[in-house]
Amino acid sequence: MDSLELSSAPLRRGPSAWGPPECAWPRSGKPGGRRNQDWSCSLIVASLVGAFGSSFLYGYNLSVVNAPTPYIKAFFNETWGRRYGHPIDPDTLTLLWSVTVSIFAIGGLVGTLMVKLIGTFLGRKHTLLVNNVFAISAALLMACSLQAGALEMLIVGRFVMGVDGGIALSALPMYLSEISPKEIRGSLGQVTAIFICIGVFTGQLLGLPELLGKESTWPYLFGVIVAPAVVQLGSLPFLPDSPRYLLFEKHDQAGAEKAFRTFLGKEDVSREVEEVLAEGRVQRNIRLVSVPELLRTPSVRWPVITVVVTMACYQLCGLNAIWFYTNSIFGKAGIPPEKIPYITLSTGGIETLASIFSGLVIERLGRRPLLIGGFGLMTLFFGTLTVTLTLQDQAPWIPYLSIVCILAIIASFCSGPGGIPFVLTGEFFQQSERPAAFTVAGTVNWLANFAVGLLFPFIQKSLDTYCFLVFAGICFAGALYLYFVLPETKNRTYAEISQAFARRNKAHPPVEKTDSAETDDKNTETPGPDPSSTLDNDVKNGIV
């Protein structure tokens, strides 16, 4: 590719003409009483529509297969008998069901590897729009599989839906990160996690027997996927793409200025555009990097390691194990089996409330306390859960304590580790590195997801309830690493975050490498005020 002018400047975005008239942010970097002005109407619509057609579907597809499990297995058995004249072997049925569930993660990995290529040519917004083709195709395949009598359609549909999830979990956080002002970048980024939790809850709710969780209606559970995709297709085209993408990858300054005005809600965006252009001039020789180049770059070594660790802990922290034990623990507490699906809804509700809480406080408390505290609390409650499960027959109240531990683990996860890893991936890297960084993060996310699905049955069979000690150890190790390595990124520009890692990397970020080249350029030009040097001074003084 040709060299692209890319920068690590902060993104100052907001609404259109129907948003608030003026949205000037404090030069000190502290939002203070003006925080509400950063939330423009266009910014809210972009985040809600983007998440509803993307991360919502990911969460929905995590939980939607649980309720119709016996009906899907019966469908597999009936189809097999009609084709081959005899019932399916139990081991073959288990294998087919395992493939149906786990192939979602394989599709997610494929989607993650596709997103850099698609995003480079189409931009963030149009990548999200094109991704709806996968969602609608998957919905039609899965919803029509029973009528067509083809179990392969259900399996292929799950794979295609995984591709949709892989693209969504990379393109959506990237888009939200690039359209949000730094003062609310964390809160806006948490919209991804909030809608994942809402999707999980919706899948549990629609799977109830009174709704779509019946033998005659389970295909409609998968057909519902069409609705969010159609809503996004009908709404997102009216909003602009990322101003940073338009400015540095499409070289469309007029389009970028229009996008700034839409997302900022004011006419005069010259200061925001000039600040981004100034950093772009400092980094004029930087081009969009590939994944191998990102992994070999010394100046981003620790950001990459930190993203890998947080994404691995995000999947390996044991939340999937919680879902495995939920029904049995509720049963031990004396809850009738027919009532358990309704009690299970409480877990989805706790997820949603905790993620909303995280979005509300992330700009006050910061990323570090929520992430480290979340993993630390999960360590504590996993240890307690191990004790209660081991002693659950000793007293009638102990199973209820196990239920409390389950809800506490879910709340701890969703209050920090459930969404902040996606926010950090968008904050750690400059424009030229961000697509490759999300590819790395997504690859780790989906490989770890697949590994948990593959290995957990063996871990559970070998260790029984003591398997939670393994997850407690993973959570503790993650919290310990983040305590010593993770800098606070709250209310910081991309340049400031790069500088925070510079000492540990023992290498300066690219913006500083090109300073000498910029100085040489100045010697051949007429002396005068240089916006880029002004910006550098602002960064050092912490006032950008």
Side-chain angles (χ1 to χ4, degrees):
M1 288 184 63
D2 295 334
S3 294
L4 300 173
E5 286 190 345
L6 302 166
S7 89
S8 61
L11 299 179
R12 310 281 176 96
R13 333 249 192 285
S16 61
W18 30 280
E22 185 69 23
C23 195
W25 299 314
R27 295 286 290 174
S28 65
K30 298 179 181 179
R34 302 185 181 182
R35 181 185 298 270
N36 290 338
Q37 295 184 14
D38 298 327
W39 288 94
S40 69
C41 192
S42 294
L43 203 58
I44 292 172
V45 171
S47 61
L48 295 181
V49 170
F52 184 55
S54 301
S55 59
F56 173 87
L57 289 181
Y58 168 76
Y60 182 83
N61 280 278
L62 288 179
S63 64
V64 74
V65 294
N66 293 333
T69 296
Y71 307 127
I72 294 175
K73 288 183 176 180
F75 164 56
F76 284 178
N77 195 23
E78 179 187 348
T79 304
W80 189 278
R82 188 170 57 250
R83 288 182 183 179
Y84 304 106
H86 59 82
I88 191 172
D89 182 76
D91 291 336
T92 305
L93 179 61
T94 301
L95 176 63
L96 280 175
W97 177 245
S98 299
V99 169
T100 303
V101 174
S102 61
I103 203 168
F104 181 71
I106 301 299
L109 178 59
V110 172
T112 297
L113 297 176
M114 291 170 56
V115 78
K116 183 174 182 288
L117 179 64
I118 298 174
T120 300
F121 291 100
L122 297 181
R124 310 336 180 202
K125 184 187 81 169
H126 289 94
T127 297
L128 292 173
L129 288 172
V130 169
N131 196 33
N132 289 296
V133 174
F134 292 107
I136 294 173
S137 301
L140 294 176
L141 282 169
M142 293 186 289
C144 297
S145 59
L146 178 63
Q147 186 175 1
L151 59 88
E152 296 85 357
M153 290 175 63
L154 184 62
I155 296 174
V156 172
R158 287 282 293 173
F159 173 80
V160 175
M161 200 62 233
V163 174
D164 174 271
I167 294 174
L169 290 191
S170 294
L172 177 65
M174 209 183 313
Y175 181 56
L176 296 182
S177 173
E178 293 183 2
I179 68 172
S180 59
K182 63 183 176 64
E183 287 83 359
I184 60 169
R185 194 171 55 216
S187 295
L188 198 70
Q190 281 296 86
V191 171
T192 300
I194 291 171
F195 271 80
I196 289 175
C197 296
I198 294 174
V200 170
F201 180 75
T202 304
Q204 294 172 339
L205 181 64
L206 293 182
L208 293 175
E210 289 80 3
L211 297 177
L212 300 178
K214 298 191 290 285
E215 185 175 8
S216 59
T217 57
W218 69 260
Y220 298 118
L221 278 170
F222 299 101
V224 167
I225 294 169
V226 170
V230 170
V231 169
Q232 190 178 84
L233 280 173
S235 306
L236 205 57
F238 297 100
L239 294 164
D241 211 324
S242 156
R244 184 179 290 270
Y245 168 80
L246 294 171
L247 194 60
F248 294 112
E249 297 184 34
K250 300 300 289 184
H251 309 291
D252 181 7
Q253 183 166 338
E257 290 176 354
K258 182 179 179 182
F260 271 124
R261 283 192 291 271
T262 299
F263 287 123
L264 285 174
K266 60 180 183 179
E267 288 301 316
D268 183 12
V269 295
S270 57
R271 181 172 67 87
E272 287 76 14
V273 172
E274 182 54 37
E275 285 179 353
V276 177
L277 284 173
E279 289 199 12
R281 283 192 288 271
V282 172
Q283 303 181 73
R284 63 162 62 102
N285 294 321
I286 295 180
R287 60 181 178 81
L288 205 64
V289 302
S290 64
V291 171
E293 289 171 328
L294 181 74
L295 298 178
R296 292 195 301 263
T297 303
S299 62
V300 294
R301 181 176 295 120
W302 280 99
V304 169
I305 293 173
T306 303
V307 163
V308 169
V309 169
T310 53
M311 278 297 179
C313 290
Y314 169 77
Q315 287 291 351
L316 301 177
C317 67
L319 205 69
N320 290 340
I322 288 296
W323 301 127
F324 182 87
Y325 274 93
T326 297
N327 287 357
S328 63
I329 292 173
F330 287 162
K332 291 281 187 182
I335 298 171
E338 65 273 10
K339 300 293 185 183
I340 287 178
Y342 304 94
I343 303 299
T344 303
L345 282 176
S346 64
T347 61
I350 289 291
E351 275 192 309
T352 304
L353 292 176
S355 60
I356 292 174
F357 166 80
S358 178
L360 292 174
V361 304
I362 188 172
E363 296 301 347
R364 292 181 180 274
L365 299 181
R367 285 62 156 158
R368 266 178 60 88
L370 289 175
L371 199 54
I372 297 171
F375 280 128
L377 288 174
M378 289 181 74
T379 303
L380 173 64
F381 290 122
F382 269 131
T384 307
L385 182 61
T386 302
V387 174
T388 59
L389 290 177
T390 304
L391 303 176
Q392 63 183 350
D393 297 326
Q394 303 300 313
W397 54 268
I398 292 181
Y400 292 96
L401 187 56
S402 299
I403 294 176
V404 172
C405 287
I406 285 178
L407 297 179
I409 289 168
I410 293 171
S412 301
F413 175 80
C414 293
S415 64
I420 293 179
F422 299 100
V423 176
L424 293 181
T425 306
E427 291 182 328
F428 281 171
F429 301 94
Q430 299 172 8
Q431 181 78 9
S432 58
E433 302 157 345
R434 197 170 295 120
F438 270 99
T439 299
V440 172
T443 300
V444 173
N445 176 37
W446 289 102
L447 285 177
N449 183 309
F450 181 74
V452 168
L454 188 66
L455 299 177
F456 174 70
F458 299 99
I459 296 175
Q460 187 272 331
K461 185 177 181 179
S462 302
L463 301 178
D464 197 30
T465 58
Y466 291 100
C467 69
F468 290 116
L469 293 179
V470 175
F471 302 122
I474 292 172
C475 292
F476 179 75
L480 201 64
Y481 172 88
L482 294 169
Y483 178 80
F484 287 106
V485 175
L486 179 67
E488 182 54 70
T489 61
K490 179 186 71 172
N491 206 31
R492 287 189 175 186
T493 67
Y494 296 106
E496 291 169 337
I497 295 169
S498 296
Q499 290 296 328
F501 274 112
R503 183 177 300 176
R504 186 175 294 275
N505 289 325
K506 296 181 181 179
H508 293 295
V511 63
E512 293 193 6
K513 285 184 179 180
T514 57
D515 283 347
S516 59
E518 185 71 13
T519 303
D520 293 340
D521 289 343
K522 284 192 227 176
N523 292 336
T524 63
E525 297 173 355
T526 304
D530 184 4
S532 64
S533 61
T534 302
L535 179 68
D536 286 342
N537 291 332
D538 284 349
V539 170
K540 292 172 183 176
N541 294 327
I543 62 173
V544 174

